[in-house]
Amino acid sequence: MRRPWGKPGSRARRPAAGVTCAGPGESWSPSPSSMLRVLLSAQASPARLSGLLLIPPVQPCCVGPSKWGERLLGGGPHAGPGRGLQRLLEQAKSPGELLRWLGQNPTKATLQDLSQLIIRNCPSFDIHTIHVCLHLAVLLGFPPDGPLVCTLEREQMFHLCPKPSPPLQPALRGGQRLEAALSCPQFLRYPRRQLISSLAEVRPEDLTPHAMVLLAQHLARHRLREPQLLEAIARFLVAQESQLNSKVVQKLVLPFGRLNYLPLEQQFMPCLERILAREAGVAPLATVNILMSLCQLQCLPFRALHFVFSPGFISHVSGTPHAIIVRRYLSLLDTAVELELPGYQGPRLPRRQQVPIFPQPLITDRARCKYSHKDIVAEGLRQLLGEEKYRRDLTVPPGYCTDFLLCVSNSGAVLPVRTQDPFLPYPPRSCPQGQAASDPTTQNPAQRVVLMLRERWHYCRDGRVLLGSRALRERHLGLMGYQLLPLSFEELELQRGLPQLKSYLRQKLQALGLHWGPEGG
């Protein structure tokens, strides 16, 4: 049942400005402007208007004067063609009665006056008021192709259609336009198109360090390996070399290492080497962060390594709040020197200063463990090989966490891990990659096979290039003598259930020439 107008005992809405309720026995003496305000109030709705036509009033209402309404009528109560509407308003006992009278007299001048008032003020209405007026026009029998309905529909379309972007103010040109694009709420939906178009419109001299840092952080955070944008950052870094300090440079260089992208800009590396030579003693953590990015790109400059491995630098960073993280990064850099830079003859990180690089799974893997394939792969290996023939999440020297590790004899037999030393010696002895030295507990040389899960988030957004940290880990494990067996997310996602996954793992292991005893399950 529809709620009557002003039902006694009910909690009424707060009256609009100029609207008061009359007590029993008092007359309802509306002004035309205030009655029109009630009919077109933002609190009205199509359902309520329909109810006004059907339900008689229970409690009379007194509507006071309003300046806004007087302007709608073009003056006072006796101004121009609004006089007929004024008389009708004065005689009506309620808004519902007014609507019923208007609906019964569609050809009267009073109704035309109301139509003209709405048309004249329609441009100032919000979308809700326009909807109410459209419903009112239908209830009062206005023709659908008449001026009132056409005007309201035109205004409705104007409110609903997307507005063109306002022209950029001078203060938002250049680099600030790029900053605005990076702050756009819809930016993440179309990052490449918006970024490239925004960057293309910016003159090089208008680019700001802040805008380029925002761009670099966005690319790194969302794994967007966009060559055009990365090359733009590299050109900016080269052009602004003398104006940038190492704390800004570390942020600009971050996406190159994370996204495993070495720019084509020929002055990129010489520029960074000059900045490192100039700034290395000023900001130790920033210096090491820059070198970490270059380590992922396999572009470590010898001169900078000499500096960070010097006793003075190591002593200095040991007393800073960043000592733990810097020592971990220096340990990784020392590993890179050991494995990838045989020609380096400078100082190294002392053994007593070395710490495990990544003693546990990376933060991103822990955060997304519920989306990982690791548990189901572990169950597949348990049923396929037996629980004693693999190790999960084992950290091998100098501190790389492996997903699954198998010990394999020279003949290809998968051995129980408890009978073997799962670690290969580090630093590695001179032997071909993938071949370990003789295991002292067995008569045959033993290999170590590492199953590497390549989850979707281990890749750049395009899904084809491994992130720099993942590529670095696999590269170093391979150089230390571990045989790698990658399991990509595309292949894992195709396996429907455990039986298919076991068959997939069996094919992968057998392709390496491995064999094992009676299979479980």
Side-chain angles (χ1 to χ4, degrees), residues 11-43:
R11 183 176 180 179
R13 295 186 178 185
R14 174 185 289 182
V19 179
T20 58
C21 291
E26 297 181 6
S27 62
W28 184 59
S29 55
S31 72
S33 57
S34 297
M35 176 57 74
L36 195 56
R37 288 186 65 208
V38 172
L39 292 179
L40 302 182
S41 169
Q43 297 178 355

Side-chain angles (χ1 to χ4, degrees), residues 231-269:
E231 292 293 341
I233 296 174
R235 290 194 299 270
F236 175 81
L237 193 151
V238 171
Q240 301 292 327
E241 172 188 341
S242 61
Q243 308 298 321
L244 302 175
N245 59 48
S246 56
K247 292 185 178 180
V248 174
V249 172
Q250 67 176 340
K251 299 174 183 177
L252 295 177
V253 175
L254 173 66
F256 295 99
R258 174 166 169 75
L259 303 173
N260 204 1
Y261 182 86
L262 182 62
L264 300 176
E265 172 59 54
Q266 295 183 354
Q267 290 300 311
F268 178 75
M269 282 305 302

Side-chain angles (χ1 to χ4, degrees), residues 139-152:
L139 293 175
L140 296 179
F142 283 95
D145 56 350
L148 176 60
V149 175
C150 289
T151 301
L152 290 169

Side-chain angles (χ1 to χ4, degrees), residues 161-269:
C161 290
K163 309 293 190 301
S165 300
L168 289 175
Q169 301 298 324
L172 289 180
R173 297 190 184 278
Q176 293 187 13
R177 177 182 177 86
L178 180 61
E179 295 179 29
L182 288 163
S183 305
C184 177
Q186 290 82 26
F187 175 70
L188 292 181
R189 297 171 61 186
Y190 309 102
R192 184 179 185 275
R193 176 173 56 83
Q194 288 193 12
L195 266 181
I196 293 177
S197 61
S198 297
L199 194 61
E201 297 175 10
V202 179
R203 297 179 301 175
E205 60 269 22
D206 289 337
L207 292 171
T208 64
H210 179 64
M212 299 308 286
V213 165
L214 285 177
L215 174 59
Q217 290 174 336
H218 183 84
L219 295 178
R221 182 181 301 116
H222 299 287
R223 314 193 318 275
L224 298 174
R225 195 175 191 267
E226 296 293 344
Q228 289 176 271
L229 301 176
L230 291 166
E231 292 293 341
I233 296 174
R235 290 194 299 270
F236 175 81
L237 193 151
V238 171
Q240 301 292 327
E241 172 188 341
S242 61
Q243 308 298 321
L244 302 175
N245 59 48
S246 56
K247 292 185 178 180
V248 174
V249 172
Q250 67 176 340
K251 299 174 183 177
L252 295 177
V253 175
L254 173 66
F256 295 99
R258 174 166 169 75
L259 303 173
N260 204 1
Y261 182 86
L262 182 62
L264 300 176
E265 172 59 54
Q266 295 183 354
Q267 290 300 311
F268 178 75
M269 282 305 302

